[in-house]
Amino acid sequence: MGRQLKYDQARLAVLNVIAEDRLRPGDKLAPERQLISRMNCSMITLRKALESLEREGMLERSVGRGTFLKRCVTNDSRSGKILFLNVNRPGDLSYPPPRAREYMQFYFNERGMEFQYLQVSSFSNEIVKEAEDVLGILLYGWLSDDFMKSIASLKIPMIIVGNSRHFSGIPQVELDIKACAELVTEDLIRGGARRIVLFNSAPDYYPSYDLESGFRKAMKRHGLNENAESVIFMTDGNRGKELDRLIPAYMEYDAMIFELGIYYSFLAASRINHWNLKQKIGISPLSIDFIDQWNCDLVRASPDTIFGRFRQSIFEIASNMLLEYILSSREMKTIRLKPEIDHGLEEE
Amino acid sequence: MGRQLKYDQARLAVLNVIAEDRLRPGDKLAPERQLISRMNCSMITLRKALESLEREGMLERSVGRGTFLKRCVTNDSRSGKILFLNVNRPGDLSYPPPRAREYMQFYFNERGMEFQYLQVSSFSNEIVKEAEDVLGILLYGWLSDDFMKSIASLKIPMIIVGNSRHFSGIPQVELDIKACAELVTEDLIRGGARRIVLFNSAPDYYPSYDLESGFRKAMKRHGLNENAESVIFMTDGNRGKELDRLIPAYMEYDAMIFELGIYYSFLAASRINHWNLKQKIGISPLSIDFIDQWNCDLVRASPDTIFGRFRQSIFEIASNMLLEYILSSREMKTIRLKPEIDHGLEEE
């Protein structure tokens, strides 16, 4: 590793310690010995980093008394940036939740890095240009082979945020959707359900396959009947009308599992149709990242419903992981978050 | 007006014309005479602006042939910035829709300005610092008197995006919520409804008051009975439970109007309670800015429902207005967008 890279990493690692310890101007930094072990670097490298931050006016070192924070990271003291690429097929826009974007912006800014969000539909010169002074990339959305091949050629630390196909050598933070569907199905079976239907999202939506396979795995394990009719893939057309036609065919079933987006359409269709269904309802998955006011209200008002829920945020974990990747240059491993069962959200 | 300011405005106005005409590198700009009338400036000012853009390498002027676009606005050629302040009470976060934020970022970047989004809970030195090279400010969220007093002292062109109290001298782009509630109520009355209840959001949520007053206005006009029981203000607690208790008291009513957020909780509660309601349902307001995938699915699956709908985006209009404000230094007037009635969203 080049010397300059090592010092740049150490500088960022000191900023990270300051952020982790929530230091305010005037506060004293942890002793050097502790910093060395937390940053996993040599005393020489640490001292170079502290000197450089002292020159920038962020730290004040006083012989015998220690090192003090003089001022927080400001716009001017930021160096290097993180690129968040939201890759979407044309005409099919999806976005990270606003709260997650706030989090990432704050997380990296606080640690002395710019955070740049870019919406793209294909690999382009714009990305190459923006990637010039980039320390790391977070990838989100619809990732094609071609796109990934081009982006990987940039040789920048990168992490895929969210479920997508796996690309060799690129670490990912994703939800274990299969385990989630399995858990919800198991819970319904334990509650006495034998005939269960899964209303799944569109077949080309990446997590649909995992949802189906988790569901079928749990059904098979208990020797329960599952066939082509057990899993419905909804199109992106008028889902209300589709459900009007489909639901009556499943009146004799014991339980229904919905993908969260489909559950919304189901609720609206239910009110019109007065189906008066007696089935148990399961929903998979509910991710902490998408719990906004509306989702929260909706879910809270569903007391007899079983949720497969993820309590950790893929955006938080991916941010932490990308920083560690940048600071340590160590290869990262894909993380698959585990779901749990939740019988209605508890009060906040 | 200072000369420099006039030239800076003219430079931005040329970039605006380039963006409006969707010019690509190699394309020819409109004739100078047309530019002068569109930009409302003198020939001297226009020429100074064109010269400055030629020096920056963006334009190429060729005597007798005209002015050509050489390259688009890039990161490096941006000057000045727009600040979007999302002001929230602590612990009560709300966000502009991601698509709106994209739009604003793109709109201002394309016209040679940075776009900076900042989440704040009070007026602080951070804002003063960020406001140094700011051309204009968009204000969104929970605006208190104290906050507005401080921000107004910065003497920067600013526009309030969305419904809030009015502050003298600060133009606003807002939804006419009162007209929306009135329209939905009128439509239900025309359909034969006599006893109508409004399930409103929390009393301290700014648009609640307008929703109530539009509803009562329509009821009064038709000599229909409306009293304390006709408008329910929901708290932010467990709305499902609240509705369990409230809905049975309105079984004999002809129609129910819901604020969109409350409608979500109502749908979830309906499924559990099997109320089998026969009432007509009205929803007010549905704003184009908040029509995301889920809202769209939900609404599309509600064919017998009456929506008070806004087809224009407050974020788009506010961006256009702020730019005009910056370019012309003319005082802007508050714009209140008008609603229309929609019996279910048409297919896209």
Side-chain angles (χ1 to χ4, degrees):
Chain A
M1 194 197 316
R3 243 183 214 171
Q4 190 51 44
L5 175 60
K6 212 162 69 181
Y7 297 144
D8 289 348
Q9 282 179 331
R11 180 184 173 281
L12 288 172
V14 173
L15 295 181
N16 185 38
V17 164
I18 290 168
E20 275 180 356
D21 293 352
R22 301 181 177 284
L23 300 186
R24 306 296 310 159
D27 288 351
K28 190 174 168 178
L29 268 72
E32 294 191 347
R33 217 170 290 265
Q34 202 198 100
L35 292 178
I36 289 174
S37 99
R38 280 169 73 182
M39 294 164 51
N40 195 22
C41 70
S42 69
M43 181 61 88
I44 293 179
T45 306
L46 172 68
R47 293 221 165 129
K48 287 261 188 197
L50 293 177
E51 274 163 26
S52 123
L53 287 166
E54 195 180 12
R55 271 195 306 276
E56 293 175 34
M58 282 187 62
L59 298 181
E60 188 148 39
R61 307 178 72 201
S62 159
V63 182
R65 290 183 55 230
T67 305
F68 294 81
L69 184 62
K70 220 169 133 189
R71 59 164 179 72
C72 300
V73 178
T74 64
N75 273 351
D76 312 321
S77 50
R78 282 184 206 141
S79 60
K81 79 180 172 196
I82 301 298
L83 200 58
F84 184 99
L85 293 180
N86 183 13
V87 191
N88 279 173
R89 292 182 293 182
D92 179 24
L93 294 183
S94 74
Y95 300 94
R99 193 156 55 166
R101 191 164 149 181
E102 292 302 318
Y103 173 85
M104 295 183 289
Q105 173 113 38
F106 182 78
Y107 181 87
F108 290 110
N109 283 175
E110 202 191 13
R111 285 162 177 77
M113 288 163 263
E114 293 292 339
F115 177 80
Q116 193 186 353
Y117 173 94
L118 214 59
Q119 178 106 25
V120 296
S121 60
S122 61
F123 193 80
S124 66
N125 280 336
E126 190 191 5
I127 297 178
V128 179
K129 205 176 168 308
E130 295 296 348
E132 263 170 27
D133 59 334
V134 155
L135 296 165
I137 298 178
L138 293 168
L139 290 161
Y140 181 76
W142 196 276
L143 308 172
S144 70
D145 278 336
D146 283 350
F147 185 88
M148 291 307 293
K149 219 182 200 168
S150 308
I151 198 94
S153 72
L154 295 176
K155 307 271 179 218
I156 293 170
M158 55 185 78
I159 286 173
I160 296 172
V161 194
N163 291 59
S164 84
R165 263 173 330 112
H166 295 163
F167 298 92
S168 106
I170 301 180
Q172 222 162 325
V173 179
E174 58 181 9
L175 303 177
D176 193 339
I177 304 275
K178 186 176 167 183
C180 188
E182 212 181 320
L183 212 56
V184 169
T185 312
E186 284 280 353
D187 201 82
L188 289 166
I189 294 170
R190 252 199 307 279
R194 291 294 166 265
R195 299 188 70 187
I196 309 179
V197 56
L198 165 64
F199 289 95
N200 207 340
S201 49
D204 64 347
Y205 176 57
Y206 186 76
S208 297
Y209 173 76
D210 284 340
L211 216 53
E212 179 186 17
S213 87
F215 166 73
R216 293 204 190 273
K217 192 174 162 195
M219 293 294 277
K220 277 206 185 88
R221 184 185 305 123
H222 291 271
L224 295 175
N225 190 33
E226 40 89 30
N227 49 38
E229 282 165 24
S230 311
V231 180
I232 311 284
F233 289 94
M234 304 291 288
T235 66
D236 287 329
N238 188 325
R239 288 176 173 170
K241 271 194 201 142
E242 266 187 273
L243 287 166
D244 289 353
R245 189 172 52 75
L246 288 166
I247 294 283
Y250 294 90
M251 284 300 188
E252 302 306 315
Y253 276 53
D254 305 315
M256 296 175 166
I257 299 175
F258 291 91
E259 189 267 341
L260 182 62
I262 308 292
Y263 182 63
Y264 273 72
S265 306
F266 165 70
L267 279 178
S270 300
R271 194 184 65 71
I272 306 297
N273 286 287
H274 305 303
W275 281 314
N276 200 9
L277 301 170
K278 305 291 184 206
Q279 283 95 335
K280 271 275 182 191
I281 302 278
I283 294 170
S284 166
L286 182 69
S287 144
I288 182 87
D289 290 308
F290 283 89
I291 295 185
D292 55 12
Q293 184 59 46
W294 283 345
N295 255 328
C296 205
D297 284 351
L298 190 87
V299 165
R300 223 190 247 153
S302 307
D304 68 346
T305 306
I306 289 158
F307 294 92
R309 189 181 179 192
F310 291 89
R311 286 187 182 275
Q312 287 179 293
S313 161
I314 52 171
F315 299 95
E316 286 190 32
I317 293 187
S319 300
N320 297 197
M321 201 158 116
L322 183 60
L323 182 69
E324 199 189 327
Y325 198 168
I326 293 166
L327 295 184
S328 70
S329 305
R330 271 194 300 114
E331 248 179 63
M332 294 287 127
K333 284 211 185 81
T334 286
I335 292 180
R336 197 166 295 129
L337 300 184
K338 292 296 164 198
E340 52 191 85
I341 282 291
D342 197 334
H343 298 260
L345 281 178
E346 56 276 48
E347 301 297 316
E348 267 155 75
Chain B
M1 194 196 320
R3 238 180 220 177
Q4 189 51 47
L5 175 60
K6 212 163 66 181
Y7 297 144
D8 288 347
Q9 281 179 332
R11 178 184 174 281
L12 287 173
V14 174
L15 295 182
N16 185 37
V17 165
I18 290 169
E20 275 180 356
D21 294 350
R22 300 181 179 284
L23 300 186
R24 306 296 309 158
D27 288 351
K28 189 174 170 178
L29 266 71
E32 293 191 347
R33 218 170 289 264
Q34 199 198 103
L35 291 179
I36 288 174
S37 100
R38 281 169 73 181
M39 293 165 51
N40 194 23
C41 70
S42 70
M43 181 60 88
I44 293 180
T45 307
L46 172 67
R47 294 222 165 128
K48 287 261 189 198
L50 293 177
E51 274 162 27
S52 124
L53 287 165
E54 194 179 15
R55 271 195 306 276
E56 292 175 34
M58 280 187 64
L59 298 181
E60 189 149 37
R61 307 179 71 201
S62 160
V63 182
R65 290 183 55 230
T67 306
F68 294 82
L69 183 63
K70 221 169 131 188
R71 61 165 177 71
C72 299
V73 178
T74 63
N75 273 350
D76 312 323
S77 50
R78 284 186 205 138
S79 60
K81 78 180 173 198
I82 301 298
L83 199 56
F84 184 99
L85 292 180
N86 182 13
V87 191
N88 280 173
R89 292 181 294 182
D92 179 25
L93 294 182
S94 74
Y95 301 93
R99 195 157 53 167
R101 191 165 149 181
E102 292 302 318
Y103 173 85
M104 296 182 288
Q105 172 113 37
F106 181 77
Y107 181 87
F108 289 110
N109 283 176
E110 202 191 12
R111 285 161 176 78
M113 287 163 263
E114 293 292 337
F115 176 80
Q116 192 184 355
Y117 173 94
L118 214 59
Q119 178 108 26
V120 296
S121 59
S122 61
F123 193 81
S124 66
N125 280 335
E126 190 191 4
I127 297 178
V128 178
K129 205 176 168 308
E130 295 296 350
E132 264 170 28
D133 58 335
V134 155
L135 297 165
I137 298 179
L138 293 168
L139 290 161
Y140 181 75
W142 195 274
L143 308 173
S144 70
D145 278 336
D146 283 349
F147 186 89
M148 291 307 294
K149 218 183 201 168
S150 308
I151 198 95
S153 72
L154 294 177
K155 308 269 179 219
I156 293 170
M158 54 186 79
I159 286 173
I160 296 172
V161 194
N163 293 59
S164 83
R165 265 175 327 114
H166 295 163
F167 298 93
S168 108
I170 301 180
Q172 223 161 324
V173 179
E174 58 182 9
L175 303 177
D176 193 339
I177 303 274
K178 188 177 166 184
C180 189
E182 213 181 319
L183 212 57
V184 169
T185 311
E186 282 281 354
D187 201 84
L188 289 167
I189 294 171
R190 251 198 307 280
R194 291 293 166 266
R195 300 188 70 188
I196 309 179
V197 56
L198 165 64
F199 290 94
N200 208 340
S201 48
D204 63 348
Y205 177 58
Y206 186 76
S208 298
Y209 173 76
D210 285 340
L211 216 52
E212 179 185 16
S213 85
F215 165 73
R216 293 203 189 274
K217 192 175 163 195
M219 293 294 278
K220 277 206 184 86
R221 184 183 307 123
H222 292 270
L224 295 174
N225 189 34
E226 40 90 28
N227 49 36
E229 282 166 25
S230 311
V231 179
I232 310 285
F233 289 94
M234 304 291 288
T235 66
D236 287 328
N238 188 323
R239 289 176 171 170
K241 270 192 202 145
E242 266 187 273
L243 287 165
D244 289 353
R245 190 173 51 77
L246 287 165
I247 294 284
Y250 293 91
M251 283 301 188
E252 302 306 315
Y253 275 54
D254 304 315
M256 295 174 167
I257 301 176
F258 291 90
E259 188 266 343
L260 182 62
I262 309 291
Y263 181 63
Y264 273 70
S265 305
F266 164 70
L267 280 178
S270 300
R271 194 183 65 71
I272 305 298
N273 287 287
H274 304 304
W275 280 314
N276 200 8
L277 300 171
K278 305 291 183 208
Q279 282 93 338
K280 270 274 183 193
I281 302 279
I283 294 170
S284 166
L286 182 69
S287 145
I288 182 90
D289 291 309
F290 282 91
I291 296 186
D292 56 12
Q293 184 59 47
W294 283 344
N295 256 328
C296 205
D297 284 351
L298 191 88
V299 165
R300 221 188 250 154
S302 307
D304 67 347
T305 307
I306 289 158
F307 295 92
R309 188 182 179 190
F310 291 90
R311 285 186 183 276
Q312 288 180 292
S313 161
I314 52 171
F315 299 96
E316 285 189 31
I317 293 188
S319 300
N320 297 197
M321 200 159 118
L322 183 60
L323 182 69
E324 200 189 327
Y325 198 167
I326 292 166
L327 295 184
S328 71
S329 305
R330 273 194 299 114
E331 247 179 65
M332 295 287 128
K333 285 213 185 81
T334 286
I335 292 180
R336 196 166 295 126
L337 300 184
K338 292 296 164 200
E340 53 190 85
I341 282 290
D342 197 333
H343 297 259
L345 282 177
E346 56 275 50
E347 301 296 315
E348 268 154 77

